[in-house]
Amino acid sequence: MLILHNNPFEPRLQMQEKIVILDFGSQTTQLIGRRVRELNQYCEIVPYNKFPADDPSVIGVILSGSPFSVYDEKSFKPDLSAIRGRYPVLGICYGAQYLSWVSGGSVEPAGSREYGRARLCGVDAGCALFKGISDGAQVWMSHGDTITSVPDSFKVVASTDKVRIAAFAVEGEPTWGVQFHPEVFHSECGTQLLRNFVVDICGGKQDWSAASFIETTVASLREQLGDDKVVLGLSGGVDSSVAAVLLNRAIGKNLTCIFVDHGMLRKNEFHNVLRDYESLGLNVIGVDASAEFFSELDGVTDPERKRKIIGKGFIDVFDREAHKLKDVKYLAQGTIYPDCIESLSITGTTIKSHHNVGGLPEKMNLKLCEPLRLLFKDEVRAVGRELGMPEHLITRHPFPGPGLAVRILGAITPEKVRILQDADDIFINGLREHGLYDQVWQAGVILLPVQSVGVMGDERTYESAVALRAVTSTDAMTADWAHLPYEFLAKVSNDIINKVKGVNRVTYDISSKPPATIEWE
Ligand code: XMP
């Protein structure tokens, strides 16, 4: 049974046993969380100085890495007296350096920043953290500082060829530190090490799964919402769709979903997705507001203005439709965990990086309901599958809220949208037909404000050029252009030029992010 804080959807699952990850600002902190969850163990990421000392369900603590050095004035140095000796503790990279340094060990800048693969040696076979891990195991290093000496009560339990103190155990205290990053894929023994900590040392029951999440969340949604009515904005994306199906299971017809067509969706997407939603049993209202949006966007070329117009237009349409419903108390959103984790800025101030869709909650004066707030993206997909949703809804590529508006460079017209929809449809269907869709993170076509000369039959043409964009990524923060087969690109190019009236040239975007971005606008 879940006991939740005042706002049921500002969740902290009090009775779900958890590992707490103290975030010192490392880029891999979220990855630690995902790895722990993959062990079916629930965990929460909190800022380095916000340990929930009053939470009885904490079973262990992990200290993350950090962009800082311990001897940096700005580095985070919290008081660990409420943690050390009371819970099993694992420090990773900076976390390990800080544990040692604060007890009197020394940390010094390494001659050169050590980055990349290393092999363990001198592994202490009797150390619980290294159970099943032997000399030669590959680990991933990424650090500019090295622990050069540890206090007397610390025992070195593993080294590498370059680093003598790659891991330590504290005698008389359930505390360990590792200089390497067990959470990253290239640390071959990383999962074993995290399992040793989470399961053997902390005693984790590994009772976190999509099925258990659904069962407890549906029960708590029913209890908290009672007969209250809820409205939810669907985007066609996986997060809002899974949130809707979960809520539908909990409260059925008391949930009304609104799906707005702003005219910038993919070809036939509005009808196809609406049909999918209806077949899932959702109570959904489809609103075709494309004419309003086209009129507002007429002649607008600035990308940020396009975004603002669409964001505001969406809020207005949604608000208008929601007001036609009676007695609505809650606005539901598909917010997920990475949107909610408080991230640490380099200056040390805490920023809430929570994106409410376009300021809707403020405008509508409704209580928020965010049932996926605790889930990582892969977990959202697992919940969707467990709920029986069709695979094509679950594995859909991300698609920007402003849709094709930010893929038509320059002013938008219905004719340009038609051209782009047709070209995009050929590209996306081609990816599916050639088994490439699931190998790329995201793909689409961009309509360029460029006309070029061509020849078709005996006729000279002077028509638009388009760019195909397909990227691989894990989180959209960085991305590489997808190395699609030439034969496939040739076929797509040929099909687009032959079938899409208005296009006579196709290019392929081979820029990575950074320095480019995924979208062109
Ligand atoms: P960029 O272009 O910044 O995109 O590399 C990163 C990811 O974000 C998506 N994106 C948006 N999503 N509203 C959204 O909902 C937007 O205004 C927006 N702009 C970019 C983009 O498709 C990619 O997945």
PDB file of all heavy atoms in Angstrom, residues 331-346:
ATOM      1  N   LEU A 331      -5.922  18.016 -13.821  1.00  0.00           N
ATOM      2  CA  LEU A 331      -5.289  17.985 -15.136  1.00  0.00           C
ATOM      3  C   LEU A 331      -4.192  16.927 -15.073  1.00  0.00           C
ATOM      4  O   LEU A 331      -3.277  17.025 -14.249  1.00  0.00           O
ATOM      5  CB  LEU A 331      -4.659  19.347 -15.443  1.00  0.00           C
ATOM      6  CG  LEU A 331      -3.790  19.391 -16.695  1.00  0.00           C
ATOM      7  CD1 LEU A 331      -4.643  19.292 -17.947  1.00  0.00           C
ATOM      8  CD2 LEU A 331      -2.971  20.671 -16.735  1.00  0.00           C
ATOM      9  N   ALA A 332      -4.293  15.906 -15.906  1.00  0.00           N
ATOM     10  CA  ALA A 332      -3.269  14.853 -15.904  1.00  0.00           C
ATOM     11  C   ALA A 332      -2.241  15.128 -16.997  1.00  0.00           C
ATOM     12  O   ALA A 332      -2.580  15.638 -18.067  1.00  0.00           O
ATOM     13  CB  ALA A 332      -3.915  13.497 -16.130  1.00  0.00           C
ATOM     14  N   GLN A 333      -0.992  14.800 -16.712  1.00  0.00           N
ATOM     15  CA  GLN A 333       0.085  14.987 -17.694  1.00  0.00           C
ATOM     16  C   GLN A 333       1.005  13.778 -17.692  1.00  0.00           C
ATOM     17  O   GLN A 333       1.155  13.114 -16.670  1.00  0.00           O
ATOM     18  CB  GLN A 333       0.913  16.229 -17.346  1.00  0.00           C
ATOM     19  CG  GLN A 333       0.140  17.521 -17.499  1.00  0.00           C
ATOM     20  CD  GLN A 333       1.006  18.758 -17.363  1.00  0.00           C
ATOM     21  OE1 GLN A 333       0.664  19.800 -17.892  1.00  0.00           O
ATOM     22  NE2 GLN A 333       2.114  18.667 -16.653  1.00  0.00           N
ATOM     23  N   GLY A 334       1.657  13.560 -18.814  1.00  0.00           N
ATOM     24  CA  GLY A 334       2.569  12.419 -18.923  1.00  0.00           C
ATOM     25  C   GLY A 334       3.995  12.764 -18.522  1.00  0.00           C
ATOM     26  O   GLY A 334       4.939  12.233 -19.098  1.00  0.00           O
ATOM     27  N   THR A 335       4.160  13.636 -17.530  1.00  0.00           N
ATOM     28  CA  THR A 335       5.499  14.007 -17.063  1.00  0.00           C
ATOM     29  C   THR A 335       6.246  12.759 -16.577  1.00  0.00           C
ATOM     30  O   THR A 335       5.680  11.952 -15.855  1.00  0.00           O
ATOM     31  CB  THR A 335       5.365  14.968 -15.861  1.00  0.00           C
ATOM     32  OG1 THR A 335       4.343  15.903 -16.158  1.00  0.00           O
ATOM     33  CG2 THR A 335       6.666  15.659 -15.559  1.00  0.00           C
ATOM     34  N   ILE A 336       7.521  12.628 -16.958  1.00  0.00           N
ATOM     35  CA  ILE A 336       8.275  11.456 -16.498  1.00  0.00           C
ATOM     36  C   ILE A 336       9.470  11.884 -15.629  1.00  0.00           C
ATOM     37  O   ILE A 336       9.757  13.066 -15.506  1.00  0.00           O
ATOM     38  CB  ILE A 336       8.701  10.541 -17.668  1.00  0.00           C
ATOM     39  CG1 ILE A 336       9.738  11.208 -18.556  1.00  0.00           C
ATOM     40  CG2 ILE A 336       7.475  10.116 -18.478  1.00  0.00           C
ATOM     41  CD1 ILE A 336      10.354  10.241 -19.573  1.00  0.00           C
ATOM     42  N   TYR A 337      10.152  10.899 -15.047  1.00  0.00           N
ATOM     43  CA  TYR A 337      11.157  11.183 -14.020  1.00  0.00           C
ATOM     44  C   TYR A 337      12.262  12.144 -14.471  1.00  0.00           C
ATOM     45  O   TYR A 337      12.575  13.085 -13.738  1.00  0.00           O
ATOM     46  CB  TYR A 337      11.741   9.851 -13.524  1.00  0.00           C
ATOM     47  CG  TYR A 337      12.361   9.929 -12.141  1.00  0.00           C
ATOM     48  CD1 TYR A 337      11.777  10.695 -11.129  1.00  0.00           C
ATOM     49  CD2 TYR A 337      13.520   9.226 -11.824  1.00  0.00           C
ATOM     50  CE1 TYR A 337      12.339  10.765  -9.868  1.00  0.00           C
ATOM     51  CE2 TYR A 337      14.080   9.274 -10.566  1.00  0.00           C
ATOM     52  CZ  TYR A 337      13.493  10.048  -9.589  1.00  0.00           C
ATOM     53  OH  TYR A 337      14.052  10.109  -8.341  1.00  0.00           O
ATOM     54  N   PRO A 338      12.855  11.945 -15.647  1.00  0.00           N
ATOM     55  CA  PRO A 338      13.922  12.871 -16.041  1.00  0.00           C
ATOM     56  C   PRO A 338      13.447  14.331 -16.108  1.00  0.00           C
ATOM     57  O   PRO A 338      14.240  15.251 -15.944  1.00  0.00           O
ATOM     58  CB  PRO A 338      14.338  12.373 -17.430  1.00  0.00           C
ATOM     59  CG  PRO A 338      13.989  10.930 -17.407  1.00  0.00           C
ATOM     60  CD  PRO A 338      12.729  10.838 -16.602  1.00  0.00           C
ATOM     61  N   ASP A 339      12.141  14.574 -16.321  1.00  0.00           N
ATOM     62  CA  ASP A 339      11.624  15.955 -16.322  1.00  0.00           C
ATOM     63  C   ASP A 339      11.558  16.519 -14.902  1.00  0.00           C
ATOM     64  O   ASP A 339      11.451  17.724 -14.719  1.00  0.00           O
ATOM     65  CB  ASP A 339      10.183  16.010 -16.868  1.00  0.00           C
ATOM     66  CG  ASP A 339      10.061  15.437 -18.258  1.00  0.00           C
ATOM     67  OD1 ASP A 339      11.055  15.522 -18.995  1.00  0.00           O
ATOM     68  OD2 ASP A 339       8.990  14.913 -18.586  1.00  0.00           O
ATOM     69  N   CYS A 340      11.543  15.634 -13.909  1.00  0.00           N
ATOM     70  CA  CYS A 340      11.276  16.076 -12.535  1.00  0.00           C
ATOM     71  C   CYS A 340      12.519  16.147 -11.668  1.00  0.00           C
ATOM     72  O   CYS A 340      12.514  16.839 -10.657  1.00  0.00           O
ATOM     73  CB  CYS A 340      10.345  15.097 -11.836  1.00  0.00           C
ATOM     74  SG  CYS A 340       8.845  14.783 -12.702  1.00  0.00           S
ATOM     75  N   ILE A 341      13.552  15.397 -12.041  1.00  0.00           N
ATOM     76  CA  ILE A 341      14.721  15.346 -11.164  1.00  0.00           C
ATOM     77  C   ILE A 341      15.320  16.739 -11.078  1.00  0.00           C
ATOM     78  O   ILE A 341      15.570  17.382 -12.083  1.00  0.00           O
ATOM     79  CB  ILE A 341      15.763  14.352 -11.707  1.00  0.00           C
ATOM     80  CG1 ILE A 341      15.171  12.952 -11.720  1.00  0.00           C
ATOM     81  CG2 ILE A 341      17.029  14.387 -10.870  1.00  0.00           C
ATOM     82  CD1 ILE A 341      16.043  11.940 -12.429  1.00  0.00           C
ATOM     83  N   GLU A 342      15.513  17.176  -9.862  1.00  0.00           N
ATOM     84  CA  GLU A 342      16.118  18.490  -9.690  1.00  0.00           C
ATOM     85  C   GLU A 342      17.559  18.369 -10.126  1.00  0.00           C
ATOM     86  O   GLU A 342      18.313  17.573  -9.608  1.00  0.00           O
ATOM     87  CB  GLU A 342      16.059  18.907  -8.225  1.00  0.00           C
ATOM     88  CG  GLU A 342      14.652  19.171  -7.760  1.00  0.00           C
ATOM     89  CD  GLU A 342      14.632  19.599  -6.313  1.00  0.00           C
ATOM     90  OE1 GLU A 342      15.580  20.270  -5.883  1.00  0.00           O
ATOM     91  OE2 GLU A 342      13.667  19.258  -5.625  1.00  0.00           O
ATOM     92  N   SER A 343      17.948  19.173 -11.113  1.00  0.00           N
ATOM     93  CA  SER A 343      19.327  19.058 -11.574  1.00  0.00           C
ATOM     94  C   SER A 343      20.171  20.158 -10.953  1.00  0.00           C
ATOM     95  O   SER A 343      19.686  21.243 -10.687  1.00  0.00           O
ATOM     96  CB  SER A 343      19.373  19.135 -13.093  1.00  0.00           C
ATOM     97  OG  SER A 343      18.826  20.347 -13.502  1.00  0.00           O
ATOM     98  N   LEU A 344      21.426  19.834 -10.718  1.00  0.00           N
ATOM     99  CA  LEU A 344      22.317  20.789 -10.069  1.00  0.00           C
ATOM    100  C   LEU A 344      23.036  21.598 -11.125  1.00  0.00           C
ATOM    101  O   LEU A 344      23.658  21.031 -12.014  1.00  0.00           O
ATOM    102  CB  LEU A 344      23.361  20.031  -9.260  1.00  0.00           C
ATOM    103  CG  LEU A 344      22.816  19.169  -8.141  1.00  0.00           C
ATOM    104  CD1 LEU A 344      23.926  18.306  -7.579  1.00  0.00           C
ATOM    105  CD2 LEU A 344      22.232  20.034  -7.055  1.00  0.00           C
ATOM    106  N   SER A 345      22.959  22.896 -11.034  1.00  0.00           N
ATOM    107  CA  SER A 345      23.724  23.686 -11.988  1.00  0.00           C
ATOM    108  C   SER A 345      25.148  23.782 -11.468  1.00  0.00           C
ATOM    109  O   SER A 345      25.426  23.527 -10.314  1.00  0.00           O
ATOM    110  CB  SER A 345      23.123  25.075 -12.141  1.00  0.00           C
ATOM    111  OG  SER A 345      23.620  25.900 -11.127  1.00  0.00           O
ATOM    112  N   ILE A 346      26.037  24.154 -12.329  1.00  0.00           N
ATOM    113  CA  ILE A 346      27.451  24.193 -11.987  1.00  0.00           C
ATOM    114  C   ILE A 346      27.744  25.232 -10.898  1.00  0.00           C
ATOM    115  O   ILE A 346      28.715  25.165 -10.196  1.00  0.00           O
ATOM    116  CB  ILE A 346      28.286  24.424 -13.271  1.00  0.00           C
ATOM    117  CG1 ILE A 346      29.639  23.765 -13.135  1.00  0.00           C
ATOM    118  CG2 ILE A 346      28.370  25.850 -13.681  1.00  0.00           C
ATOM    119  CD1 ILE A 346      29.593  22.294 -13.398  1.00  0.00           C
TER     120      ILE A 346
END
